[in-house]
Amino acid sequence: MLIALDRFTIVLGMFSTLVFLTLFLFFCTSSISTLSTTVAVDGGDVPLLPLSSSSSDPLLTAVVASGGDDFPPLKNDNLLRAARGELVDRVPVWVMRQAGRYLPEFQEVRAKHDFFEVCRTPELACEVTMQPLRRFDLDASIIFSDILVIPQALGIAVEMHKGVGPVLPEPLVTPDDLERLNTTGSIDRLKYVGDAITMMRHMLDGKVPLYGFTGAPWTLMGYMIEGGGSKTMSKAKAWLENYPDASQKLLNLLTDQIVEYLLMQVKAGAQIVQVFESSAEHLTKEQYLTIALPYLKRIRDDLHKKFTEEGVTPVPMTLFSKGAMHSLTEQAQTGYDVIGLDWTIDPEEARKLVGPNVTLQGNLDPQDMYKSPEELRELVLTMVRKFGKHRYIANLGHGITPQTPVESMSVLVKAVHDAL
Ligand SMILES: Cc1c2[nH]c(c1CCC(=O)O)Cc1[nH]c(c(CCC(=O)O)c1C)Cc1[nH]c(c(CCC(=O)O)c1C)Cc1[nH]c(c(C)c1CCC(=O)O)C2
């Protein structure tokens, strides 16, 4: 009996020691993690949002994980209403490349950081995205990034050379080079764009909606084959001619990537997306209708399919095909909500070509931004009055250029809001 009791005491002792040790260990780990979060938050020298772009950062993870439901409510929804064809309080305005070299504060960031470092670091991307909004009464923001992040994610190096623009030192030369494209996990490698979008939605605090964007298949194919910008796209056009099957394969591969990339951006918080087919200007009308538009339409249709399958609320989609004003009627039939115009077409003519059921975006000549404030204001007033208040988003007909006087942006934005 006594022996049995002794054994019982020993077992009980061992058990309570074990419980004690487990509790002790649990207490230590949880207090350490609480302590480090507290230090990080209360430290004072830590910015409101974390500096690391890594998803292992607890604060960034918290911001990103909070997801769409927790975003601050939108205060100025004029741009989204215009995109959906609803009535607006005022004509919305934003500017392609509104975050860019014409702003001294952008130059300051660029003096310290490489272009793609800015893209890849959510805090820096958000800072430059915010810069134009601090100065001008704009109705939208666009996440700072570049169309060439997709080729990068596929394993094609892209460098930004001062005074030259993007350089891809190892372009695609023959169809065999398609083997080099690594699609496995490519969208995961672009997670930093989603992180920047989510962070930006919180930073915006509902001030204006946030655009996500992508390059279009033909435009990306062009850069990947030319190895950079090109005046003629002769190598990419030679691919179309000499390697029709490989060209189609590449265009389809890029289309699939773009759909996944846009879906990721919308899930991260993009409230409207724009597809940049900036190199459409190199194609004949016939080429545009066979090489560009079918893929652009598939992006629209496949993304909508994904929205339905994954229960994601659809966002408006914008198509900007620079130099393809010859095919506006066809563009308007693709299902995009907004069609972007370059400056080569008259607003009233464009409206006739697209009909009443799409929103138009554009289309001041970026060169007009160099005119005197009085002349610029008159041009903007005339443009906006030609487009009218319904289904219209004011913008330039292409990106703002680096030498543009900062004051011109204030003149542009005010004139748009004053016009009607
Ligand atoms: C073709 C294209 C590119 N990138 C982009 C396009 C499509 C739009 C267009 O047609 O302009 C898209 C783009 N690139 C950039 C944005 C930022 C978002 C915005 O504010 O609109 C967007 C929407 C930043 C950028 N992308 C780039 C800059 C300037 C580079 C720098 O800061 O050194 C910015 C602000 C670099 C870039 N990136 C690219 C080029 C041709 C260049 C050089 C441009 C130049 O030298 O003027 C590829």
Side-chain angles (χ1 to χ4, degrees):
M1 173 74 186
L2 258 177
I3 294 166
L5 202 72
D6 263 349
R7 279 209 190 123
F8 178 69
T9 319
I10 290 164
V11 170
L12 194 76
M14 279 168 69
F15 180 71
S16 33
T17 315
L18 208 77
V19 169
F20 174 75
L21 270 173
T22 316
L23 279 174
F24 179 73
L25 271 172
F26 175 75
F27 173 75
C28 281
T29 42
S30 63
S31 63
I32 284 166
S33 65
T34 321
L35 204 73
S36 58
T37 326
T38 320
V39 168
V41 175
D42 295 339
D45 55 345
V46 184
L48 192 60
L49 291 164
L51 267 167
S52 153
S53 61
S54 135
S55 57
S56 62
D57 189 308
L59 275 177
L60 180 57
T61 310
V63 168
V64 172
S66 68
D69 297 341
D70 283 346
F71 289 136
L74 189 55
K75 293 164 197 155
N76 173 0
D77 65 349
N78 280 298
L79 185 127
L80 294 185
R81 279 194 267 149
R84 295 192 294 250
E86 299 165 8
L87 294 180
V88 293
D89 303 328
R90 64 181 194 186
V91 170
V93 55
W94 71 283
V95 168
M96 288 185 272
R97 297 259 174 104
Q98 64 190 25
R101 284 167 296 175
Y102 74 103
L103 286 176
E105 56 271 36
F106 177 83
Q107 302 271 22
E108 252 175 63
V109 174
R110 283 285 284 111
K112 286 185 239 139
H113 305 278
D114 170 70
F115 179 81
F116 286 111
E117 183 194 343
V118 180
C119 296
R120 284 195 198 111
T121 314
E123 291 73 16
L124 293 175
C126 288
E127 163 57 24
V128 295
T129 303
M130 205 65 196
Q131 287 175 346
L133 298 170
R134 294 195 190 108
R135 282 184 184 255
F136 316 112
D137 188 15
L138 293 156
D139 297 283
S141 56
I142 178 163
I143 195 66
F144 188 83
S145 185
D146 199 83
I147 60 166
L148 298 172
V149 297
I150 287 189
Q152 269 181 344
L154 292 171
I156 304 285
V158 183
E159 296 156 8
M160 202 55 78
H161 291 191
K162 209 177 155 74
V164 178
V167 173
L168 294 75
E170 291 172 320
L172 307 177
V173 182
T174 69
D176 287 347
D177 288 324
L178 295 184
E179 304 293 317
R180 281 165 44 205
L181 302 179
N182 177 14
T183 53
T184 314
S186 54
I187 304 304
D188 295 341
R189 288 192 282 281
L190 292 171
K191 188 178 175 295
Y192 63 85
V193 178
D195 289 349
I197 286 174
T198 304
M199 191 182 284
M200 196 60 210
R201 281 292 302 276
H202 287 279
M203 242 167 124
L204 278 167
D205 196 25
K207 190 179 159 80
V208 289
L210 177 65
Y211 271 82
F213 72 91
T214 178
W218 159 248
T219 298
L220 294 181
M221 173 180 171
Y223 277 95
M224 289 163 81
I225 292 172
E226 299 288 335
S230 160
K231 288 210 166 67
T232 57
M233 287 278 164
S234 56
K235 291 179 192 146
K237 284 174 134 184
W239 261 62
L240 297 176
E241 195 65 33
N242 302 331
Y243 313 127
D245 292 347
S247 296
Q248 212 178 356
K249 193 172 162 198
L250 177 55
L251 288 166
N252 273 317
L253 181 151
L254 289 168
T255 302
D256 293 339
Q257 293 292 307
I258 287 163
V259 171
E260 293 298 333
Y261 182 44
L262 287 178
L263 181 69
M264 182 272 275
Q265 292 188 44
V266 173
K267 283 181 178 171
Q271 289 154 296
I272 177 167
V273 292
Q274 176 154 327
V275 181
F276 285 92
E277 189 70 284
S278 305
S279 303
E281 60 190 353
H282 296 285
L283 301 172
T284 63
K285 174 167 178 159
E286 199 200 323
Q287 282 174 322
Y288 177 74
L289 295 179
T290 51
I291 299 306
L293 205 61
Y295 301 93
L296 292 163
K297 178 161 173 48
R298 183 153 86 74
I299 290 168
R300 190 267 169 208
D301 292 346
D302 285 4
L303 186 59
H304 274 264
K305 250 182 252 157
K306 298 256 175 198
F307 286 155
T308 311
E309 281 165 17
E310 303 205 18
V312 177
T313 309
V315 303
M317 294 183 71
T318 303
L319 170 60
F320 173 61
S321 300
K322 183 170 181 288
M325 301 302 100
H326 46 61
S327 301
L328 281 178
T329 306
E330 291 85 347
Q331 288 181 45
Q333 290 160 358
T334 50
Y336 281 82
D337 307 273
V338 184
I339 301 294
L341 305 173
D342 66 29
W343 65 90
T344 63
I345 190 152
D346 182 74
E348 286 156 343
E349 198 189 332
R351 177 51 74 192
K352 267 191 221 138
L353 291 168
V354 300
N357 298 326
V358 292
T359 297
L360 290 172
Q361 176 174 281
N363 74 340
L364 196 80
D365 184 348
Q367 209 57 32
D368 288 341
M369 298 290 272
Y370 293 87
K371 295 212 154 83
S372 72
E374 298 74 26
E375 283 176 294
L376 175 58
R377 182 175 166 85
E378 278 312 307
L379 286 165
V380 176
L381 292 175
T382 308
M383 171 182 81
V384 174
R385 286 168 189 158
K386 278 188 175 184
F387 277 110
K389 201 168 178 175
H390 189 53
R391 274 205 174 273
Y392 174 52
I393 296 167
N395 204 315
L396 301 183
H398 197 206
I400 188 167
T401 57
Q403 316 304 328
T404 301
V406 174
E407 192 206 349
S408 293
M409 274 289 276
S410 313
V411 174
L412 167 78
V413 171
K414 187 164 183 335
V416 170
H417 291 153
D418 288 348
L420 293 169

